[in-house]
Amino acid sequence: MQRFTARAVVVGDRAGTVVPQAVVDVADGEITWVGPAAEAPPAGDADVVELPGVLMPGLVNAHSHAPMVLFRGQGEGLPLDRWLSEVMWPREARLTGDDVEAAMTAASAELLRNGVTTSVEMYFHPERIAAAVDRTGARAVIATPLLPLPGMPPLREQLDRAVDLAASAPRDGRVEYGLGPHAAYTLPLPLLADAARAAREHGLLLHLHVAETATEGQDLLALHGLSVPALLAAHDVLGGRVLAAHCVHLDDGDLELWREYDVAVAHCPASNAKLASGVAPLRDMLDRGIRVGLGTDGPASNDALDLLADARLAAQLARLASGDATALSAAEALWLATGAAADALGRPDLGQLEAGRRADLVHVDTRDLAFVPIGDATDVLTHLVWSAGGRFVRDVWVGGRQVVADGACTTVDAGALRADVAERAGRLARGAGPGGSPTRDAPVS
Amino acid sequence: MQRFTARAVVVGDRAGTVVPQAVVDVADGEITWVGPAAEAPPAGDADVVELPGVLMPGLVNAHSHAPMVLFRGQGEGLPLDRWLSEVMWPREARLTGDDVEAAMTAASAELLRNGVTTSVEMYFHPERIAAAVDRTGARAVIATPLLPLPGMPPLREQLDRAVDLAASAPRDGRVEYGLGPHAAYTLPLPLLADAARAAREHGLLLHLHVAETATEGQDLLALHGLSVPALLAAHDVLGGRVLAAHCVHLDDGDLELWREYDVAVAHCPASNAKLASGVAPLRDMLDRGIRVGLGTDGPASNDALDLLADARLAAQLARLASGDATALSAAEALWLATGAAADALGRPDLGQLEAGRRADLVHVDTRDLAFVPIGDATDVLTHLVWSAGGRFVRDVWVGGRQVVADGACTTVDAGALRADVAERAGRLARGAGPGGSPTRDAPVS
């Protein structure tokens, strides 16, 4: 058994519970007890880890294409259409599985260092993403992308393979596979329906993009006379573990469908801001009882991979959108990156520091000027959201195993990764791909 | 002479100039030469400082009440009126000069550590703010607050004293005093006019709040039939070095007055978001040629004191406000925190790495996964804004003197400051002030 003692434990629930002078007990990778040190059971022969700062749950990133660290910052300042067609797509067309694994390893180390222990990843070469995460010690829910791109197998074959891949993962491992049909505007509706049926049958996460931009549903509306959510409902795509990324441009009727079918939302405020897509109606979603988790999106559109910083942005934008400084509290913002995000993924074993959940723990060093003053325990939570960001994450454990120590990922060699990914990024930018000419013309992101 | 060599130098100009493999020469606290290493003059017997990362100008914070670190995070989640009346004002009423000096010392160390070498400070006990900044080695333009509060001298006397204080500062020192008449809605117009006249006569910065909220000008409009900018113009307040904080709610006519009178704006996106005040028309201001600098505002409304993070937020909000992903580039965002901010203060000796300006230098460590990939020099600038934040600031020099090394302020004892400020914050929160009962009922922020 391991026993962690900390100045305070931030539980990661909606109420923003903070337990001062707390203990977290861990056995076999699971939390067995959380509470005030004064009430803790006998430590026995536990390994005691005394932490000077605050423990919070490992953050859960509900939408990411993390291997796109390969393209971080590239095409900055271009309008969206040119950014896609001149910068992203030509590079993605040259991607190899080795590129994806190297980039995901680097991105995973960066995510862990920022306190993100689980991420939902939708990107090419899903089995290489799994290999990377296996190496760093993080968790991932990998939504195998389904996309009608030249050079990829027929969609039906993609779906069959994705379902087989999902079945191949060990049931209690750190990697879970789901299905990632890209979006209603890029895929035939029957394929979406089949993917949804397969996801329900096997209990898989169905992860897709919905209403990221104001224009992307217009063709479908003209063709079918229905909004994208209504179209998805009419084609039996909703129901089960459905996680819809973005959902910026939904009206009242769409949101009611989300509530009715218990569709979860991956809210990506930083990406939606950088690409000028808009601000999702977060407060409205929460008030309707829609499950929402926070996502970074890929680092080509949200360069920082810092989910705690995105929690702050979510609160800033919710307040601006409503003109109400109480529209989203620090407690709710942090919950969106922890307990609420786990709930959005349909993963009740993650996201909160609570007996029975996985021992994914993040130690934040609060002995810094940025955490002054701490008058009472709730100030800790406030400072985590408004003042800290991932910068003050010192130590991280996933399933009880330490993967970050003193601010650095201990499972991989960051220096070697940096050089490797930089070299690969340079090759992709120059177009000197090992596989010959470009074969793809659309992105997964 | 000192010679700094770096992977790249970010100049801090509007165009976003980046010089790869660059040299910055410094003598007597001033920059004497900047350019590519290959073209540098002979080093002679200079002390050579070889930096592995990027050099950028010391950031310039155009609006701050930094001693409010005493109140950081307190009252989180309350609506604005209760936040002011129940949390901020009672605490401020108990403030002593010792509190302000201790808090400013801590805040200044934190600002320096985030790469901010100059800040415009408007807060009580200006001479104690100067003492704090003298200790840390930072620069400040201290706008002595003029406010009609119980317990403070009559306004005319406040103004006379503030002008005397400004005259007392050494001409070439790190501290410059200006005048800080709080706002048109809190002060008599004749006093504002007198302050403006005094500022013009002595070449002082006149710093005031304008149009932070949608409602604050309504009484004046009802009374005078003029917007606040029009009222200020009509009462001869504009002209000279006028720096108006916030300017969220200005219409076309107001902006034209700003242009006509060359009024500069301190844009505070993080504070305006947290308090749900709104989004200032930044792009419109820049297109009209209005001078704009970025400000953190006080840490009670923008807890992080991280101006580089605020540059990212400025770009995010400008893009969302316009629906245009090209509305504000990374280069412009960084310029708002460097060259443009210095220009907004009327301080052409600051804000850019250019021969003849002060040697305020910030070294950012780019050997991190967050800076991968760097394909060419402009990627560096992009990563500074979109990926970095103050977190990767390693070393800072002010006037050629090193004040931050390896991420920590070297001129003060951060641990002792932390404990001291926390104790003072606790006392102010409990109301056990050393000076007896509260005497103030309005804030300076």
Side-chain angles (χ1 to χ4, degrees):
Chain A
M1 194 185 90
Q2 295 163 290
R3 165 160 293 184
F4 298 86
T5 69
R7 172 184 191 137
V9 160
V10 174
V11 169
D13 57 353
R14 185 167 198 168
T17 305
V18 178
V19 185
Q21 303 303 327
V23 155
V24 177
D25 283 340
V26 171
D28 297 328
E30 276 194 7
I31 299 170
T32 56
W33 195 86
V34 178
E39 301 170 17
D45 58 353
D47 294 327
V48 178
V49 182
E50 292 182 11
L51 300 169
V54 168
L55 268 178
M56 66 175 185
L59 306 178
V60 176
N61 181 0
H63 181 61
S64 176
H65 319 280
M68 293 178 82
V69 287
L70 284 164
F71 314 129
R72 171 157 42 200
Q74 302 195 13
E76 149 67 20
L78 288 180
L80 183 59
D81 56 343
R82 292 187 56 199
W83 181 76
L84 286 172
S85 62
E86 297 177 21
V87 181
M88 291 298 132
W89 297 348
R91 284 165 173 73
E92 288 195 325
R94 301 177 197 120
L95 268 181
T96 67
D98 287 349
D99 292 333
V100 169
E101 184 170 335
M104 184 66 208
T105 307
S108 180
E110 197 178 339
L111 285 162
L112 285 172
R113 198 256 312 258
N114 283 328
V116 181
T117 51
T118 299
S119 63
V120 175
E121 295 295 339
M122 183 200 283
Y123 209 59
F124 306 110
H125 303 288
E127 71 289 2
R128 306 300 292 268
I129 295 176
V133 165
D134 188 59
R135 183 129 53 102
T136 63
R139 294 186 199 281
V141 179
I142 304 170
T144 300
L146 307 178
L147 258 177
L149 296 181
M152 288 179 76
L155 281 168
R156 188 80 32 187
E157 191 183 324
Q158 290 184 38
L159 174 56
D160 291 344
R161 284 196 201 177
V163 171
D164 289 346
L165 184 63
S168 74
R171 288 189 66 83
D172 207 40
R174 284 184 281 105
V175 166
E176 179 196 358
Y177 288 100
L179 303 181
H182 178 261
Y185 68 93
T186 51
L187 289 168
L189 283 160
L191 187 279
L192 276 165
D194 287 348
R197 193 173 310 112
R200 286 196 294 267
E201 187 182 329
H202 299 279
L204 306 179
L205 185 74
L206 186 85
H207 188 38
L208 73 172
H209 297 82
V210 176
E212 178 174 2
T213 69
T215 53
E216 73 183 36
Q218 286 178 351
D219 289 351
L220 290 166
L221 186 65
L223 196 62
H224 302 278
L226 292 173
S227 71
V228 169
L231 207 55
L232 295 173
H235 284 77
D236 201 26
V237 177
L238 307 183
R241 287 170 67 190
V242 179
L243 176 63
H246 302 299
C247 300
V248 174
H249 301 278
L250 297 188
D251 65 17
D252 274 2
D254 298 331
L255 291 170
E256 272 309 290
L257 279 176
W258 263 202
R259 191 192 56 72
E260 183 182 336
Y261 286 94
D262 196 21
V263 174
V265 171
H267 177 49
C268 304
S271 171
N272 297 337
K274 190 181 185 196
L275 300 180
S277 305
V279 178
L282 174 62
R283 183 73 260 167
D284 194 354
M285 291 172 180
L286 295 177
D287 289 344
R288 289 174 196 261
I290 294 169
R291 291 176 294 135
V292 183
L294 205 57
T296 56
D297 205 352
S301 58
N302 174 16
D303 311 47
L305 289 179
D306 184 350
L307 197 66
L308 212 46
D310 294 351
R312 177 169 62 222
L313 182 62
Q316 289 168 324
L317 294 180
R319 292 173 181 210
L320 284 174
S322 63
D324 175 2
T326 68
L328 197 82
S329 67
E332 283 179 304
L334 190 62
W335 169 67
L336 289 173
T338 52
D343 196 31
L345 269 55
R347 287 292 300 263
D349 58 328
L350 305 176
Q352 289 186 205
L353 297 187
E354 189 179 63
R357 301 203 190 213
R358 308 287 184 124
D360 297 352
L361 314 175
V362 174
H363 172 227
V364 180
D365 190 351
T366 54
R367 295 171 303 177
D368 186 274
L369 290 169
F371 285 87
V372 171
I374 298 183
D376 60 37
T378 55
D379 288 344
V380 165
L381 193 150
T382 299
H383 293 332
L384 281 175
V385 172
W386 288 108
S387 185
R391 162 181 194 163
F392 299 105
V393 168
R394 302 314 302 167
D395 308 284
V396 178
W397 293 262
V398 176
R401 176 192 177 207
Q402 186 157 13
V403 293
V404 171
D406 199 25
C409 184
T410 54
T411 48
V412 293
D413 177 345
L417 282 170
R418 211 173 57 222
D420 185 26
V421 174
E423 188 279 329
R424 291 174 186 279
R427 176 179 54 75
L428 293 167
R430 284 190 306 274
S437 59
T439 55
R440 295 206 186 102
D441 63 358
V444 79
S445 56
Chain B
M1 194 184 90
Q2 296 161 289
R3 164 161 293 186
F4 298 86
T5 69
R7 173 186 190 134
V9 159
V10 173
V11 169
D13 58 352
R14 186 167 198 170
T17 304
V18 178
V19 185
Q21 303 303 331
V23 155
V24 177
D25 284 339
V26 171
D28 298 327
E30 276 193 9
I31 298 169
T32 56
W33 195 86
V34 178
E39 301 170 16
D45 59 354
D47 295 327
V48 178
V49 182
E50 292 182 9
L51 301 168
V54 168
L55 268 179
M56 67 176 183
L59 305 178
V60 176
N61 181 359
H63 181 60
S64 176
H65 318 281
M68 293 178 82
V69 286
L70 285 163
F71 314 129
R72 171 157 42 198
Q74 301 196 11
E76 149 65 22
L78 288 180
L80 184 59
D81 55 342
R82 292 186 56 199
W83 181 76
L84 287 172
S85 63
E86 297 176 22
V87 182
M88 290 299 132
W89 297 349
R91 285 166 172 73
E92 287 195 325
R94 301 178 197 117
L95 268 182
T96 67
D98 286 350
D99 292 333
V100 169
E101 185 170 335
M104 185 66 209
T105 307
S108 180
E110 198 178 339
L111 286 162
L112 285 172
R113 196 258 312 260
N114 283 329
V116 180
T117 50
T118 300
S119 63
V120 175
E121 295 294 339
M122 184 199 283
Y123 209 59
F124 306 109
H125 303 289
E127 70 290 2
R128 306 300 291 268
I129 295 175
V133 165
D134 188 59
R135 184 128 55 102
T136 63
R139 294 187 199 280
V141 179
I142 304 170
T144 300
L146 308 178
L147 259 175
L149 295 180
M152 288 180 75
L155 283 167
R156 189 77 33 183
E157 192 182 325
Q158 290 184 38
L159 174 56
D160 291 344
R161 285 195 200 178
V163 172
D164 289 347
L165 184 61
S168 74
R171 290 190 65 85
D172 208 39
R174 284 184 280 102
V175 166
E176 179 196 358
Y177 288 100
L179 303 180
H182 177 262
Y185 69 92
T186 50
L187 288 169
L189 284 160
L191 188 277
L192 276 165
D194 287 348
R197 193 173 311 115
R200 287 195 294 267
E201 188 181 329
H202 300 279
L204 307 179
L205 185 75
L206 187 84
H207 188 38
L208 73 172
H209 297 83
V210 176
E212 178 174 3
T213 70
T215 54
E216 72 182 38
Q218 286 178 350
D219 290 351
L220 289 166
L221 185 66
L223 195 64
H224 302 279
L226 291 173
S227 71
V228 168
L231 208 55
L232 294 173
H235 283 77
D236 202 25
V237 178
L238 306 183
R241 287 171 67 190
V242 179
L243 176 63
H246 302 300
C247 300
V248 175
H249 302 278
L250 298 189
D251 66 17
D252 273 3
D254 298 332
L255 290 170
E256 271 309 290
L257 279 175
W258 262 203
R259 192 193 54 71
E260 184 181 335
Y261 285 95
D262 196 21
V263 174
V265 172
H267 177 49
C268 304
S271 171
N272 297 336
K274 190 181 185 196
L275 300 179
S277 305
V279 178
L282 174 61
R283 184 72 260 166
D284 194 354
M285 291 172 181
L286 295 177
D287 289 344
R288 290 173 196 261
I290 294 171
R291 291 177 293 136
V292 182
L294 205 57
T296 56
D297 205 352
S301 59
N302 174 16
D303 310 47
L305 290 178
D306 184 350
L307 198 67
L308 212 45
D310 294 351
R312 176 168 64 221
L313 183 62
Q316 289 168 324
L317 295 180
R319 291 172 181 210
L320 284 174
S322 63
D324 175 1
T326 68
L328 198 81
S329 68
E332 283 179 304
L334 191 63
W335 169 66
L336 289 174
T338 52
D343 196 31
L345 271 54
R347 288 290 300 262
D349 58 329
L350 305 175
Q352 288 186 206
L353 297 187
E354 189 180 64
R357 300 202 191 214
R358 309 287 184 124
D360 298 353
L361 314 175
V362 175
H363 171 229
V364 179
D365 190 352
T366 54
R367 295 171 303 177
D368 187 274
L369 290 170
F371 285 86
V372 171
I374 298 184
D376 60 35
T378 56
D379 288 344
V380 164
L381 192 150
T382 299
H383 294 332
L384 281 176
V385 171
W386 288 108
S387 186
R391 161 181 195 162
F392 300 105
V393 168
R394 302 315 302 166
D395 308 283
V396 178
W397 293 260
V398 176
R401 175 192 176 205
Q402 187 158 13
V403 293
V404 171
D406 199 24
C409 183
T410 53
T411 48
V412 293
D413 177 346
L417 282 171
R418 209 171 60 221
D420 184 25
V421 174
E423 187 278 329
R424 292 174 186 278
R427 176 179 55 73
L428 293 167
R430 284 190 306 274
S437 59
T439 55
R440 296 205 185 103
D441 62 357
V444 79
S445 58

